[in-house]
Amino acid sequence: MSINTQQNSANTFAKDTFKDEPRTQFVQQSSQDPNKEGAGGSNNNNGVAAGNNKHDINSQLTKSNRIVTSLLSGGIAGGLAKTVIAPLDRSKIFFQTNETRNYRFRYAIRWLRHGYRTEGLLSLWRGNSATMARILPYAAIQFMSHEQYKAILKTDQKDTPKIMRFLAGSMAGVTGQLATYPLDKVRAVMAVTNRKGEYKSLVQVVLKIHSEEGLLALYRGLTPTMMGVVLYAGTSFFTYETLKEAAASSRSQNEEHPTEKAAAPNIYQRLLSGAVAGLLGQTSSYPLDIVRRRMQTGVSLGKGNKYRTLSGTFLYVLRNEGIRRGLYKGLSMNFIKGPIATSISFTTYDYVKMGLQWLFLATKS
């Protein structure tokens, strides 16, 4: 490769680092084989070019680079999204686990305001250390495994049934949850704790749960969690990938001479796709989220063994609190935090992954 070609490639990246098209140009300009698909610079008018070029880009990376890219991107995306909505999440968990307090959005805001006035701003992020300890590995494993499952199930191929997208998302969610579930239990306990300084570290929470409830208590609520994540992750990934594909196709058709850049969804389309994905995903699995939170925090809140089983917890909430005020308590909060968190997570993942891919490709050249 000549020096001029390398300089042209670097200038292409400098103009627009976080777009799909410049990275594709890098691969095309670096290729010396004119028979490779896409090397001749021909445009694909059916909107599939972006998908094909993604495979070209991945083929330039080693397997370890692809895994590292998805792990780092997933961890950053998950950590950022959860940190942004941490106060809203803590408020939701408080009302989910409280049998007597009816939920209203204004009550949630009032509860957060009370915490701010009495214990300070940082109290709104209490339990966020446990959240980060869980969400960083969870999101990293989930996004990484999702890439692997997509490759196995060939979800990017036109003749693959769309249901495979749902299956790939569900399997990724289950993989992430199985690897990090005890930390989710710890995080829920810390989130419903109102006494300042009761738990000073994650280790202290784990030791107390172990001494009072036993080691297996760290996995209490695992069954509804697995059932819920199948619906949530499957619906979220399916919706996001489908809407993103539709946006790419629409942009391609609206261009007289479509290019890979024109076929790539912009940031607003990605955010909107993520918001819709989060809304549908969390709504579909919300009753199971109520059940798992009750099972996780029942003993810590002095409810004894009332919430020991999935069916028992579900029926108790249904009979005593009803559907709207029980199984869907706090759902309106999810209409706000769910779309925000998911849109941030998916969009951040996409752009961080693009940046890391560019970094690996630039380093390799």
Side-chain angles (χ1 to χ4, degrees), residues 59-355:
S59 68
Q60 301 298 312
L61 300 174
T62 65
K63 184 175 182 180
S64 61
N65 284 346
R66 292 196 296 269
I67 291 176
V68 169
T69 296
S70 54
L71 281 173
L72 290 177
S73 303
I76 293 171
L80 177 61
K82 279 295 185 180
T83 299
V84 170
I85 55 95
L88 298 178
D89 210 25
R90 184 165 184 256
S91 174
K92 185 201 73 169
I93 293 175
F94 173 79
F95 282 94
Q96 279 184 329
T97 55
N98 196 302
E99 300 175 12
T100 59
R101 290 181 180 269
N102 292 329
Y103 176 83
R104 295 287 188 277
F105 183 75
R106 65 177 183 274
Y107 295 167
I109 300 300
R110 189 180 303 168
W111 185 81
L112 290 172
R113 189 185 303 122
H114 174 76
Y116 167 71
R117 289 175 177 174
T118 58
E119 301 181 53
L121 180 63
L122 292 182
S123 69
L124 303 182
W125 275 267
R126 181 177 299 154
N128 197 50
S129 59
T131 300
M132 290 300 101
R134 169 189 170 268
I135 201 63
L136 293 179
Y138 168 74
I141 293 171
Q142 182 187 46
F143 277 106
M144 182 274 294
S145 60
H146 182 243
E147 295 291 343
Q148 304 305 312
Y149 292 135
K150 285 200 304 180
I152 294 172
L153 298 175
K154 301 178 180 179
T155 61
D156 291 327
Q157 296 186 7
K158 290 183 63 176
D159 57 348
T160 301
K162 301 300 183 185
I163 191 63
M164 291 302 176
R165 291 180 178 174
F166 180 90
L167 183 58
S170 297
M171 293 168 64
V174 169
T175 302
Q177 280 286 2
L178 283 175
T180 60
Y181 184 77
L183 290 170
D184 189 42
K185 158 85 173 181
V186 172
R187 173 243 182 171
V189 171
M190 294 185 73
V192 299
T193 301
N194 291 322
R195 293 183 293 276
K196 186 176 181 180
E198 181 175 353
Y199 296 119
K200 296 181 179 180
S201 67
L202 300 179
V203 175
Q204 186 178 2
V205 181
V206 173
L207 292 177
K208 185 171 182 179
I209 292 174
H210 177 264
S211 63
E212 294 183 357
E213 306 175 52
L215 186 60
L216 290 180
L218 290 172
Y219 290 89
R220 181 171 293 167
L222 180 62
T223 301
T225 298
M226 291 297 102
M227 295 172 63
V229 79
V230 166
L231 293 173
Y232 170 71
T235 302
S236 297
F237 278 109
F238 170 83
T239 303
Y240 183 69
E241 295 290 336
T242 301
L243 291 179
K244 196 168 65 168
E245 181 184 66
S249 178
S250 176
R251 284 170 62 87
S252 178
Q253 292 174 1
N254 290 335
E255 292 288 332
E256 184 177 355
H257 301 290
T259 63
E260 289 84 359
K261 179 179 180 180
N266 60 38
I267 187 172
Y268 303 107
Q269 291 171 323
R270 294 176 194 270
L271 286 170
L272 181 59
S273 298
V276 175
L279 182 63
L280 295 179
Q282 294 212 1
T283 302
S284 66
S285 61
Y286 196 79
L288 289 166
D289 194 42
I290 290 283
V291 171
R292 78 176 177 121
R293 291 304 184 198
R294 295 291 178 91
M295 294 180 69
Q296 286 176 337
T297 63
V299 175
S300 299
L301 293 175
K303 307 300 180 182
N305 294 321
K306 185 187 298 184
Y307 303 124
R308 289 189 62 86
T309 65
L310 168 61
S311 59
T313 303
F314 182 88
L315 292 175
Y316 180 87
V317 174
L318 180 62
R319 290 169 181 169
N320 292 276
E321 302 173 53
I323 296 177
R324 184 173 65 87
R325 296 185 177 182
L327 294 175
Y328 284 93
K329 179 186 287 187
L331 180 61
S332 60
M333 178 68 77
N334 264 31
F335 289 158
I336 298 175
K337 82 174 193 66
I340 292 175
T342 309
S343 62
I344 291 174
S345 179
F346 280 139
T347 305
T348 301
Y349 174 78
D350 281 350
Y351 283 104
V352 172
K353 182 182 175 184
M354 291 176 196

